[in-house]
Amino acid sequence: MIDLLHPEPVDTTGVEEWPVNVGIASRLSGLTPKMVRHYEAQGLLGEIQRSGGGYRLYSLDDVQTLRFIQHCRSVDFSLDDIEKLLKMWRAGGDHCAAAKELADKHIELLDCRIREIQFMKQALLDLTRDCGTLEEGCPITDSISGKAAPPPKSPTHGCCGMTSSLRNV
């Protein structure tokens, strides 16, 4: 897990020349090449240099931005929130109150998701409790297929956008 309180600087050991290709940018940022290209396509990196042959070339600033994105994703910030945080980071200055507000909203979302996951876990535990004890049928597949009543919806259902195949959505 990435330590957000004590992030390590980009380890450029072995990098003799900048800019670098997507493979090296990937290794330095901790992302897959596919995710590096994805974040570029989402506009989070800005304009990326291209070689004469059209290959992407990433600067040290690009790699630092990718690491910033990786850190944001490690705590599950959305792409929209990452974009907002990137703008704050790039602008410099005092943006702590705005960043805290964004983080506080994200904490509320995570709390809701935790409650939803706990509810789903309990629903599955209730279904598995009777597995193998009934003369016919399976509580799990019967509930999922609609043969039996599905588990009840969570009281917080929908607060965070989560859905489950075990609920009537």
Side-chain angles (χ1 to χ4, degrees):
M1 175 161 217
I2 294 173
D3 183 351
L4 292 177
L5 297 177
H6 308 96
E8 295 178 17
V10 176
D11 179 8
T12 59
T13 305
V15 179
E16 297 176 21
E17 197 174 318
W18 291 89
V20 297
N21 66 28
V22 70
I24 295 171
S26 167
R27 178 177 57 81
L28 294 173
S29 66
L31 297 165
T32 65
K34 182 177 181 177
M35 290 311 297
V36 169
R37 289 187 291 269
H38 172 71
Y39 293 135
E40 177 191 353
Q42 295 299 312
L44 297 176
L45 295 177
E47 192 66 34
I48 298 299
Q49 278 184 269
R50 298 282 181 155
S51 70
Y55 292 101
R56 294 170 174 89
L57 298 173
Y58 298 89
S59 68
L60 179 58
D61 286 343
D62 295 329
V63 171
Q64 289 171 328
T65 299
L66 288 166
R67 286 177 54 91
F68 184 95
I69 294 167
Q70 168 71 337
H71 291 167
C72 289
R73 292 300 296 147
S74 74
V75 291
D76 203 35
F77 274 110
S78 69
L79 289 180
D80 287 343
D81 287 347
I82 292 171
E83 186 173 11
K84 292 172 188 171
L85 289 165
L86 273 170
K87 285 179 183 175
M88 290 179 212
W89 178 55
R90 287 173 176 151
D94 185 11
H95 51 263
C96 194
K100 182 183 182 316
E101 183 179 339
L102 196 65
D104 286 343
K105 287 180 183 176
H106 189 62
I107 291 167
E108 288 177 24
L109 174 71
L110 291 173
D111 285 339
C112 177
R113 287 174 57 196
I114 289 167
R115 287 190 304 274
E116 287 286 303
I117 290 169
Q118 288 172 331
F119 190 86
M120 288 187 278
K121 178 182 175 184
Q122 187 58 54
L124 286 170
L125 285 170
D126 292 346
L127 290 172
T128 59
R129 181 184 56 235
D130 293 331
C131 274
T133 62
L134 304 176
E135 289 188 25
E136 62 181 63
C138 169
I140 297 168
T141 57
D142 287 351
S143 177
I144 292 170
S145 70
K147 279 184 167 179
K153 286 185 182 180
S154 163
T156 59
H157 176 68
C159 71
C160 58
M162 287 187 66
T163 60
S164 168
S165 61
L166 293 177
R167 288 196 228 120
N168 289 330
V169 286

